[in-house]
Amino acid sequence: MFISEKLEKARKYEKEESVKIDKSERPVYHMYTPVGWMNDPNGFSVFDGTCHLFFQYHPYSTQWGPMHWGHYTTKDFIQWKIQPCAMAPDMEYDKDGCFSGTALEWRGQHVLMYTSVKETLCPNGEKITRQTQSIAIGDGVNYLKYSGNPVIKADLLPKGNSQVDFRDPKIWKDENGFWAVIGTKDYEGCGQLALFHSENLTQWEFVKILDESKDEYGKMWECPDFFQLEGRQVLIVSPQFMRADGKEFHNGNNSIYFIGDYDKETMEWKRDKPFLIDYGLDFYAPETIEYTDGRRIMIGWLQNWDNYLLPDGYCWSGMMTIPRELSIQNGRLIQNPVRELEKYRGNRQTYIDYVLSAENGKITLKNIEGRCLDITVTLTKQDFENFNIYLAAGDSYETVIRYDRHRGIITTDRTCCGMWKDLLTERNLKLEKEDLEQVTLRILLDKNSIELFVNHGKYVMSTLIYTPATAKDIYFETDGNAIFTVEKYDILEQI
Ligand code: FRU
């Protein structure tokens, strides 16, 4: 198979440079970039029985740059095997980037659809950007870009739609052929999703605008996903420039979901109101897969475009969330860490009905410490206003999970995690009334990240903390009386 010079260079670079990075600064059970910069997950798919995950990749620096597709495979969503870089921006039509996209298996081949980006500098100095959709076909390691690329251009869109913002195809196949939903902007600059159809993956026709923001939920809708789950249909989008609405959304880039119903024959899509997928500071652009055993699993970029935080001297930037199993309960998407994580748990330590009151101050519990943990705290008696858990604490560092019972608010506060820049440090999540009776906090800590799953996955908060590894204490504190249960496991590197 033809390997371009650019791709060859990226493959050589990642191979040589990734081994130089100190392993002790890497996450233990999350996927991370081998070297350089990583953003969105791409092409999350099963091919030939193996799960593949690609990602937006700029190997040469810790900043976003001309996008490549990096590549991993996994057998259990916890251990990731690096594969050679899959695509470089090496064609005339994608010379300025191979942006996000998805993948599927078709007739024994692995088909990737991605956004090909081309910029042209006009004689008058004006820069014209065109985003189109292209495909690459491969064997799980090497991918050949189709000679007829790009296969979808923005001129198929309704008149007035953006020719510049047209990206992140989600493709799937059903008995009626191949389908793609692609993010675009209407003539007023509001986000829309365009639905396309094809019989053969190479010739596509515009079908309709499937959904639109109408300026209610942000501008450009990036990275759509659209799938069936438990008899309903779920739409995930990551809108840019969204405005906060009380505590439910926040300013800037959000990732939201709508649950609704989709009629495959008439292509009618009706949806309920949206919810935020993750209430933390660091989450964006998730993708899902339907795994071989029927589970719908989602993975997201554990970072955000604003609030970019990286310690000096790091040669890599970017990790993914723990893959999460999705289900629906009472109109909400429920997310829980993949069950495979349980195989990596060891050194169990529990405290049943531990009684804590204000007079005790900040307490530690024997064997409840560390930076690579799966720990669940269940509050069985809540006679207090505030209950706090301090994580990655010590040497004047700490990140606090604060539960304000009267206001029903859970906050992750990383003010003292070791940041040296004036960036956002806190984010809140407002519990619904029905959630207050018993609050369960499952916390996944992995070196530099905290993912908090509240009430068995009804709410999730993901946050990066770049705290020195020596800060590994955990404290509990309340201003009243609390009774709680703790179940803690270390996550082991090998099983
Ligand atoms: C989302 C995004 C996508 C785009 C990619 C570029 O984070 O902006 O819309 O395809 O990143 O890297």
Side-chain angles (χ1 to χ4, degrees), residues 37-42 56-57 64-69 98-101 115 117 131 165-169 220-224 238 240 253 284-285 301 304-305:
W37 165 273
M38 176 178 98
N39 57 288
D40 315 353
N42 292 156
Q56 289 287 280
Y57 187 27
W64 188 88
M67 282 289 112
H68 297 56
W69 273 37
C98 301
F99 278 17
S100 286
T115 298
V117 182
Q131 298 187 341
D165 290 297
F166 179 45
R167 59 181 175 271
D168 310 337
M220 177 66 184
W221 277 6
E222 299 191 308
C223 302
S238 293
Q240 290 181 308
N253 294 77
Y284 199 60
W301 180 36
N304 204 335
W305 285 110

Side-chain angles (χ1 to χ4, degrees), residues 122-146:
C122 303
N124 64 2
E126 194 196 342
K127 194 170 76 180
I128 296 180
T129 303
R130 286 287 172 267
Q131 298 187 341
T132 54
Q133 320 311 319
S134 292
I135 57 175
I137 299 167
D139 60 4
V141 180
N142 294 308
Y143 293 83
L144 188 65
K145 292 176 184 169
Y146 172 59

Side-chain angles (χ1 to χ4, degrees), residues 296-436:
R296 178 62 62 173
I297 297 174
M298 179 180 76
I299 194 163
W301 180 36
L302 212 167
Q303 195 172 301
N304 204 335
W305 285 110
D306 303 323
N307 296 307
Y308 179 49
L309 172 79
L310 189 77
D312 278 349
Y314 265 53
C315 301
W316 64 280
S317 165
M319 57 187 279
M320 297 295 174
T321 64
I322 190 83
R324 303 169 183 175
E325 292 181 17
L326 300 184
S327 56
I328 297 178
Q329 259 172 42
N330 303 327
R332 298 284 286 240
L333 205 57
I334 305 298
Q335 309 167 52
N336 280 299
V338 278
R339 62 196 68 172
E340 284 84 347
L341 182 62
E342 289 162 26
K343 291 189 293 177
Y344 291 82
R345 303 199 297 197
N347 305 332
R348 181 169 189 258
Q349 176 74 57
T350 57
Y351 289 84
I352 311 284
D353 290 336
Y354 190 88
V355 180
L356 180 68
S357 58
E359 300 82 68
N360 300 123
K362 257 162 111 177
I363 61 135
T364 55
L365 295 172
K366 191 159 178 268
N367 287 335
I368 307 286
E369 59 168 31
R371 287 287 289 276
C372 194
L373 302 173
D374 180 351
I375 170 167
T376 302
V377 178
T378 308
L379 286 155
T380 45
K381 182 175 172 206
Q382 307 183 32
D383 179 15
F384 53 75
E385 276 183 29
N386 288 286
F387 181 87
N388 302 327
I389 306 175
Y390 297 78
L391 301 163
D395 304 333
S396 75
Y397 298 109
E398 65 188 27
T399 293
V400 195
I401 292 176
R402 210 178 293 131
Y403 168 38
D404 175 335
R405 193 172 70 90
H406 286 169
R407 288 163 63 221
I409 287 181
I410 295 180
T411 304
T412 303
D413 177 356
R414 65 174 183 190
T415 307
C416 295
C417 77
M419 288 166 53
W420 64 103
K421 274 196 196 169
D422 190 12
L423 296 175
L424 264 189
T425 53
E426 274 192 30
R427 194 145 272 163
N428 297 318
L429 117 73
K430 176 120 179 73
L431 298 173
E432 285 172 4
K433 260 213 177 86
E434 67 197 35
D435 301 308
L436 298 172

Side-chain angles (χ1 to χ4, degrees), residues 159-178:
K159 210 162 164 249
N161 267 58
S162 173
Q163 301 287 303
V164 180
D165 290 297
F166 179 45
R167 59 181 175 271
D168 310 337
K170 158 74 187 189
I171 47 168
W172 72 95
K173 176 164 187 339
D174 67 16
E175 54 285 6
N176 298 321
F178 296 98

Side-chain angles (χ1 to χ4, degrees), residues 4-102:
S4 70
E5 235 171 75
K6 264 194 183 167
L7 186 57
E8 184 90 58
K9 182 176 162 212
R11 288 181 168 189
K12 188 165 176 283
Y13 186 84
E14 68 183 1
K15 203 167 169 191
E16 289 172 2
E17 296 303 313
S18 61
V19 290
K20 296 185 187 159
I21 298 174
D22 182 0
K23 234 187 145 227
S24 69
E25 69 183 42
R26 301 286 213 172
V28 168
Y29 60 100
H30 287 76
M31 185 200 136
Y32 52 80
T33 184
V35 64
W37 165 273
M38 176 178 98
N39 57 288
D40 315 353
N42 292 156
F44 199 17
S45 55
V46 177
F47 171 67
D48 200 16
T50 299
C51 177
H52 291 251
L53 182 66
F54 304 81
F55 58 95
Q56 289 287 280
Y57 187 27
H58 182 235
Y60 306 114
S61 83
T62 52
Q63 306 291 321
W64 188 88
M67 282 289 112
H68 297 56
W69 273 37
H71 188 191
Y72 279 91
T73 49
T74 184
K75 289 206 180 319
D76 65 1
F77 302 105
I78 304 297
Q79 288 200 28
W80 297 88
K81 188 169 174 228
I82 178 85
Q83 300 292 342
C85 180
M87 288 198 285
D90 50 13
M91 293 287 160
E92 196 257 336
Y93 54 85
D94 67 12
K95 69 177 184 55
D96 294 292
C98 301
F99 278 17
S100 286
T102 51

Side-chain angles (χ1 to χ4, degrees), residues 181-193:
V181 277
I182 305 173
T184 168
K185 273 185 190 164
D186 68 10
Y187 64 98
E188 285 181 313
C190 296
Q192 289 191 326
L193 290 181

